[in-house]
Amino acid sequence: MIATASQPTLTAFDWVPDFARGLVRDIRVRWALEELGLTYDVEVLNAFGAKPDGYVQRQPFEQVPAFADGDVELFESGAILLYLADRHPGLLPTDDAAAWTARCWVMAAYSSVESFINRLNSYDIFNADKPWAKDAREPAVALVNQKLKRVADALGDKDWLVGDFSVADIAMICVLENLRHSGLVTQQPVLVDYLARGKSRPAYGRALSGQLANFTGSPPAGWQK
């Protein structure tokens, strides 16, 4: 399925484990599309099986999402968010300086926050049964808590990171949601309220429902919880 000039398309998986549902990165792009009121198509792929011919040219790491909008083909959800925000009004501040600050926060969500969360999750989810994981986890938690405090301090008493709701909030809220198993966000009441505000937006609800509806596949042979 290739996008027409008027209707973009993104790729998503047909099955993921329960702990990943609502977290797969296509939800970030879906949320932005829903906020903008754009119609779009979804190409559903087997997460653990062979990908369509040529998919590696569209997504070099064979992950999701890949995104196409007419002649424009993109991969990496952060780049797609910035493309949509630049192309359509509504997800960046109208003031140029503030818009660049919002773009900075998108990059910060991915590089300064998510990378540390992913390290922690590798211990908590994928290596929890390893004898070394407990000791490795302690410094990882300390680093994540430091990042959470910095985000909470930046928010202060504001509803959103940069003025009105923007692409920066889509990126950051989706990144912070990766900690939902850990309870760490609950130690920062500012962030608890921030996530609740973001996830109460109708566009987020539609994006989440859309992702969950695509999980109609089956786990790979031999899958164990």
Side-chain angles (χ1 to χ4, degrees), residues 34-116:
E34 294 289 349
E35 291 282 354
L36 294 169
L38 300 177
T39 58
Y40 57 96
D41 294 318
V42 179
E43 180 184 359
V44 181
L45 308 178
N46 186 310
F48 296 92
K51 303 301 184 288
D53 290 344
Y55 189 66
V56 72
Q57 279 73 51
R58 299 164 56 195
Q59 220 298 353
F61 305 102
E62 295 188 300
Q63 300 167 343
V64 299
F67 178 85
D69 186 14
D71 294 334
V72 177
E73 292 193 354
L74 302 173
F75 64 97
E76 292 296 330
S77 59
I80 301 166
L81 290 180
L82 290 173
Y83 167 81
L84 289 170
D86 283 338
R87 191 176 179 93
H88 302 278
L91 287 180
L92 281 174
T94 55
D95 175 76
D96 190 53
W100 278 108
T101 301
R103 293 184 184 98
C104 286
W105 275 111
V106 172
M107 301 302 293
Y110 282 81
S111 60
S112 297
V113 181
E114 187 170 39
S115 59
F116 292 89

Side-chain angles (χ1 to χ4, degrees), residues 149-203:
K149 183 179 185 305
R150 296 297 188 183
V151 177
D153 289 347
L155 269 168
D157 59 1
K158 299 180 298 185
D159 284 347
W160 310 112
L161 284 167
V162 187
D164 294 333
F165 179 85
S166 74
V167 69
D169 301 299
I170 292 177
M172 187 63 74
I173 290 167
C174 288
V175 163
L176 295 180
E177 186 69 358
N178 282 293
L179 285 169
R180 65 189 186 188
H181 74 284
S182 72
L184 293 181
V185 171
T186 63
Q187 299 172 26
Q188 296 285 347
V190 167
L191 298 184
V192 173
D193 293 344
Y194 177 54
L195 264 66
R197 277 194 299 277
K199 292 168 63 179
S200 69
R201 294 177 71 87

